[in-house]
Amino acid sequence: MFDKHVVSTEWAGRPLILETGRVARQADGAVIATYGETSVLATVVGAKQAKPGQDFFPLTVNYQEKYSAAGRIPGGFFKREGRPTEKETLTSRLIDRPIRPLFVDGFKNEVQVVLTVMSYDGENDPDIVAMVGASAALTLSGLPFMGPIGAARVGYKDGEYVINPTIQQMEETDLDLVVAGTQDAVMMVESEAKELSEDVMLGAVMAGHKSFQQVIDLVIDLGERAAKEPWDYEPADHSAELKQIQDLVGADLSAAYKIKDKGERQAAVAAAREKAVEALVATEEKPEGMDALVFKDQFKKAEAKVVRGDIIKTGVRIDGRKLDEVRDIVSEVGILPRTHGSALFTRGETQALCVATLGTADDEQMIDGLDGLRKEGFMLHYNFPPYSVGEAGRMGSPGRREIGHGKLAWRATKAILPTREEFPYVLRVLSEITESNGSSSMATVCGTSLALMDAGVPIKRPASGIAMGLIKDDDGVAVLSDILGDEDHLGDMDFKVAGTSEGITSLQMDIKIAGITEDIMKTALAQANGGRMHILGEMAKALTESRSELSANAPQMETMQIPTDKIREVIGSGGKVIREIVDTTGAKVSIEDDGSVTLSAMDRSAIEAARKWILGITAEPEVGEIYQGKVVAVKDFGAFVNFFGPKDGLVHVSQLAQERVKHPKDVVSEGDSVWVKLLGFDDRGKVRLSMKVVDQETGQAIEEDKGEDS
């Protein structure tokens, strides 16, 4: 019944198994990829025809995690998986990026790649398994895909690279880098690092590329056994149409792309396009003209040839800059009066308004995934409104691009943050892109560093970021620093590098051609280093280090430690005690299982009151110390005073005053505030207190303790 094929290899100490022919047989390609005990079902389906009027390649990658894979039931009311999580969205992008450039140019049939996590062992992250599965399914499908690709995760610890580290190993590594590519070249890099050098980062990329060659060989082996017949697809030759456009408006485009202002440049390009449309595109009166969709594609190619050719030949870019030149930068901080920290970072026509907010433990983000529920104390949210590029458009919840760009800036910034022990606040940074013409995500990195410093967050040192571009053709190679939007669209590479003066904290690379070599990457990294240092210098004109004091608008916070066996007493039955502390003092109180307590309030006095209250519950009174207390009961033999949290003690009638006292009511009444000294404990553990050895006005000890009762 099943035409089943299975191939396997030992990869980084664990078995990698690819199976096809048993599950999802109606898909064009279906593979179950298993690494360790993590399994992902990868399926590919391509539409047999392109939709009429389709002018782009509609590739969709959907990565989805099923809670049953980890033996869990989803939380929430409906108890089923819902909208994609951040992890699912980011992994979908991660897989899309290296496979999209490998489809044959001109192919516009809809393709859907679905990756479903079916089993999760808690050790091997499904994202790499899903990427390998997608590569295998595409290779089997017969679609015009110029793969296969391989992928690997690379860690770095004690000067050694670790291929595909486990989830546990990732907690101790200085690097989390994912690399994907073909046999010959790297296609995609995504990483988070703890201030590592360019050489270490490049070495990690190449180590990963080398390690997944056996994966590519395994996919090829499976393809030789089970691949379907290749689709009968031959891209049309439109070189004649391209030449027509170049001959007619090539000079106009060349002149347009020498205009520095983005708006004026776009207007000049639009005029050239309109001129070409009128002359070349088919109409009812001119049916022999060029098809409108063909014109659209070839006009883009004409633009690219002009821009790329001019840069390669002259070494001068669209806006007149040299290849390694960074646009003018203005850094400003403290621009919003009521926020905890704010910064406006402007680089050329790209601008990010970043706002830092300090919160308490109640503000932590709860994340539910295959590994269970966890808390996140640092959030960075990126928004890209349509007005930032001078357009009117739909606004709604963040899309894949916004989530991806925000996560890139989050990775770049995470390494510079203080630990929760050093700075107990929950942090959120909001980045609003108010103008965009080239790498708003790297502007977000710069703006985030400035906003955090403005808020008084003691970051290790500021981080900056820069986007590098590449133009590679038969006439040569040009690496561009701080690319414009047009250079991104018309170029071959988007290579983003972020880091501090001490090293790289994040590196992301996307390639539109069939990969780049180690030498090109080395050149780009070296050039990016110079650009990053220049940007850090410009940022320093606004702030060089974090402010010494927090904003007056930020909550005050303090941490303390209590014995774990006292946690129950502080919380009280049904939370009665902790609610009373919060209601009475006005401070928020958060207690962790390890006994760490976080107190927060807008007023320092509220924190101090809560701290004393908790100390009164958890600490033990010391003999010889003086405490302020309240009389809670008056008896014939003395008065009971509540003096240390819930603790009461007896002040014997002989200890009430220096002179002889006939009855305690002659000296104290219930509810009085008094000063007492702890004399000790009797044989039954009862507390013995004295008022007569303490000055009741000042709370200071009286030097001669006359007549103390033994």
Side-chain angles (χ1 to χ4, degrees):
M1 182 176 182
F2 300 119
D3 184 19
K4 179 178 170 182
H5 298 274
V6 180
V7 295
S8 64
T9 187
E10 191 78 9
W11 184 33
R14 279 146 284 170
L16 173 64
I17 304 168
L18 303 179
E19 175 194 319
T20 188
R22 184 166 57 143
V23 178
R25 291 171 294 163
Q26 296 184 51
D28 290 325
V31 171
I32 296 178
T34 302
Y35 190 48
E37 293 184 348
T38 295
S39 297
V40 177
L41 171 63
T43 63
V44 173
V45 174
K48 300 303 182 254
Q49 299 289 334
K51 291 181 181 179
Q54 187 94 332
D55 63 350
F56 64 97
F57 174 39
L59 169 66
T60 304
V61 177
N62 296 107
Y63 168 87
Q64 50 192 8
E65 296 179 340
K66 302 299 182 182
Y67 282 70
S68 56
R72 299 185 63 235
I73 295 174
F77 183 78
F78 294 105
K79 298 298 179 184
R80 69 174 296 167
E81 293 81 6
R83 60 179 296 176
T85 64
E86 183 181 88
K87 166 73 182 299
E88 289 172 322
T89 299
L90 293 169
T91 305
S92 296
R93 283 173 53 88
L94 195 72
I95 297 167
D96 181 296
R97 286 157 48 194
I99 65 175
R100 183 177 291 271
L102 293 177
F103 280 86
V104 172
D105 187 34
F107 184 72
K108 291 184 173 59
N109 298 31
E110 183 175 4
V111 175
Q112 185 177 41
V113 182
V114 178
L115 298 314
T116 308
V117 181
M118 308 302 293
S119 176
Y120 175 58
D121 60 11
E123 292 187 356
N124 299 289
D125 197 310
D127 55 2
I128 297 296
V129 188
M131 202 175 303
V132 172
S135 172
L138 284 165
T139 300
L140 299 183
S141 68
L143 289 166
F145 174 70
M146 299 181 294
I149 65 165
R153 172 170 272 105
V154 183
Y156 186 72
K157 184 173 176 15
D158 298 330
E160 299 289 336
Y161 296 115
V162 183
I163 302 300
N164 293 340
T166 64
I167 300 295
Q168 293 73 27
Q169 288 175 317
M170 286 305 302
E171 295 176 359
E172 301 177 354
T173 184
D174 293 331
L175 174 67
D176 180 3
L177 181 142
V178 174
V179 56
T182 62
Q183 285 181 321
D184 301 322
V186 174
M187 299 294 299
M188 184 275 298
V189 177
E190 183 79 35
S191 67
E192 176 184 336
K194 295 180 180 178
E195 297 182 297
L196 298 178
S197 69
E198 281 77 9
D199 288 342
V200 170
M201 295 298 289
L202 181 58
V205 172
M206 302 320 297
H209 184 258
K210 181 180 179 182
S211 77
F212 63 61
Q213 295 306 311
Q214 67 181 105
V215 176
I216 293 177
D217 293 339
L218 189 70
V219 173
I220 292 173
D221 184 11
L222 183 65
E224 290 172 346
R225 303 184 190 196
K228 296 180 179 178
E229 288 296 318
W231 285 27
D232 185 17
Y233 175 78
E234 190 69 33
D237 180 9
H238 294 297
S239 56
E241 289 89 340
L242 175 60
K243 187 174 186 307
Q244 281 183 284
I245 295 171
Q246 288 178 309
D247 290 344
L248 181 64
V249 295
D252 296 340
L253 288 173
S254 183
Y257 277 106
K258 288 182 174 62
I259 299 173
K260 295 183 180 181
D261 181 78
K262 178 182 175 182
E264 294 178 11
R265 181 169 64 250
Q266 289 178 335
V269 171
R273 183 186 299 109
E274 187 62 30
K275 175 181 176 181
V277 166
E278 292 180 2
L280 302 175
V281 175
T283 61
E284 291 183 4
E285 295 79 18
K286 187 179 56 180
E288 72 284 355
M290 196 182 302
D291 178 81
L293 286 179
V294 172
F295 171 83
K296 187 173 183 179
D297 281 346
Q298 299 310 307
F299 189 84
K300 288 180 182 177
K301 290 184 179 180
E303 286 183 88
K305 279 186 172 294
V306 165
V307 172
R308 295 159 63 90
D310 286 352
I311 292 175
I312 290 285
K313 290 172 187 174
T314 66
V316 178
R317 297 157 62 181
I318 292 172
D319 56 0
R321 284 182 292 150
K322 299 175 183 177
L323 300 183
D324 61 351
E325 189 176 348
V326 178
R327 288 171 289 175
D328 291 340
I329 292 172
V330 177
S331 301
E332 302 169 78
V333 294
I335 64 170
L336 300 175
R338 292 289 296 181
T339 61
H340 299 167
S342 60
L344 184 67
F345 179 83
T346 308
R347 186 191 62 240
E349 295 172 302
T350 296
Q351 188 178 74
L353 175 58
C354 296
V355 181
T357 305
L358 279 58
T360 67
D362 292 344
D363 299 311
E364 284 184 312
Q365 183 181 15
M366 304 297 289
I367 300 174
D368 194 12
L370 293 181
D371 287 310
L373 197 65
R374 64 181 179 87
K375 298 178 180 179
E376 177 56 60
F378 172 49
M379 295 154 281
L380 197 156
H381 298 143
Y382 165 103
N383 292 313
F384 191 88
Y387 67 75
S388 65
V389 288
E391 296 176 358
R394 178 181 175 274
M395 294 184 67
S397 57
R400 284 189 173 190
R401 180 183 182 278
E402 289 176 303
I403 292 172
H405 279 45
K407 191 65 174 182
L408 173 59
W410 181 91
R411 289 191 179 105
T413 310
K414 189 179 178 184
I416 66 174
L417 297 179
T419 64
R420 287 296 290 274
E421 291 74 25
E422 295 170 333
F423 194 72
Y425 289 88
V426 170
L427 301 173
R428 182 195 184 222
V429 175
L430 177 65
S431 174
E432 290 289 326
I433 303 305
T434 50
E435 295 181 27
S436 181
N437 184 13
S439 195
S440 52
S441 63
M442 293 297 95
T444 295
V445 173
C446 302
T448 295
S449 292
L450 291 168
L452 289 172
M453 290 195 293
D454 185 52
V457 178
I459 63 174
K460 296 176 183 176
R461 55 191 68 86
S464 67
I466 189 170
M468 311 296 294
L470 173 72
I471 294 174
K472 181 175 180 287
D473 59 24
D474 295 338
D475 295 326
V477 176
V479 176
L480 315 178
S481 295
D482 181 25
I483 55 175
L484 300 172
D486 287 333
E487 291 170 337
D488 183 8
H489 301 320
L490 303 176
D492 298 321
M493 175 181 76
D494 184 7
F495 189 97
K496 297 184 176 76
V497 187
T500 69
S501 58
E502 301 301 310
I504 292 173
T505 56
S506 185
L507 186 154
Q508 184 188 80
M509 183 183 75
D510 291 308
I511 298 296
K512 302 173 188 176
I513 55 178
I516 62 171
T517 64
E518 181 179 0
D519 287 341
I520 293 176
M521 285 187 64
K522 192 171 185 177
T523 300
L525 281 169
Q527 194 166 312
N529 180 276
R532 284 194 299 110
M533 296 306 132
H534 169 73
I535 294 170
L536 284 172
E538 295 300 306
M539 291 166 59
K541 294 178 181 178
L543 266 182
T544 57
E545 59 184 18
S546 298
R547 298 194 189 280
S548 58
E549 295 183 358
L550 300 182
S551 164
N553 300 317
Q556 303 293 310
M557 192 174 293
E558 185 177 308
T559 58
M560 60 186 295
Q561 195 73 29
I562 63 173
T564 55
D565 59 354
K566 298 287 187 180
I567 293 176
R568 181 175 296 180
E569 295 181 33
V570 176
I571 294 174
S573 178
K576 179 181 178 182
V577 176
I578 196 170
R579 283 200 300 272
E580 185 180 2
I581 296 172
V582 171
D583 292 342
T584 304
T585 65
K588 288 185 179 180
V589 181
S590 175
I591 304 177
E592 301 295 333
D593 293 339
D594 63 355
S596 59
V597 181
T598 303
L599 309 173
S600 59
M602 293 303 294
D603 184 1
R604 172 59 62 178
S605 62
I607 293 177
E608 187 61 25
R611 187 183 70 83
K612 287 183 177 179
W613 194 323
I614 293 171
L615 280 176
I617 298 173
T618 60
E620 296 294 334
E622 296 182 22
V623 175
E625 290 295 317
I626 295 173
Y627 301 95
Q628 188 173 31
K630 180 183 290 186
V631 178
V632 293
V634 180
K635 305 294 183 184
D636 291 341
F637 52 84
F640 286 96
V641 176
N642 174 235
F643 72 102
F644 195 86
K647 291 180 175 60
D648 295 343
L650 173 65
V651 181
H652 190 266
V653 65
S654 64
Q655 294 294 323
L656 285 171
Q658 295 282 350
E659 64 276 3
R660 183 178 177 81
V661 177
K662 290 182 179 180
H663 194 279
K665 287 185 178 179
D666 296 338
V667 178
V668 294
S669 301
E670 197 171 310
D672 286 353
S673 178
V674 296
W675 291 96
V676 295
K677 181 177 182 179
L678 176 58
L679 299 178
F681 306 89
D682 65 17
D683 296 339
R684 294 174 296 174
K686 297 293 182 65
V687 179
R688 297 169 51 243
L689 303 173
S690 174
M691 287 174 53
K692 73 177 187 179
V693 298
V694 185
D695 187 324
Q696 294 299 310
E697 294 292 330
T698 66
Q700 299 297 314
I702 297 174
E703 291 185 8
E704 295 184 9
D705 297 343
K706 298 177 181 178
E708 279 197 19
D709 183 32
S710 57

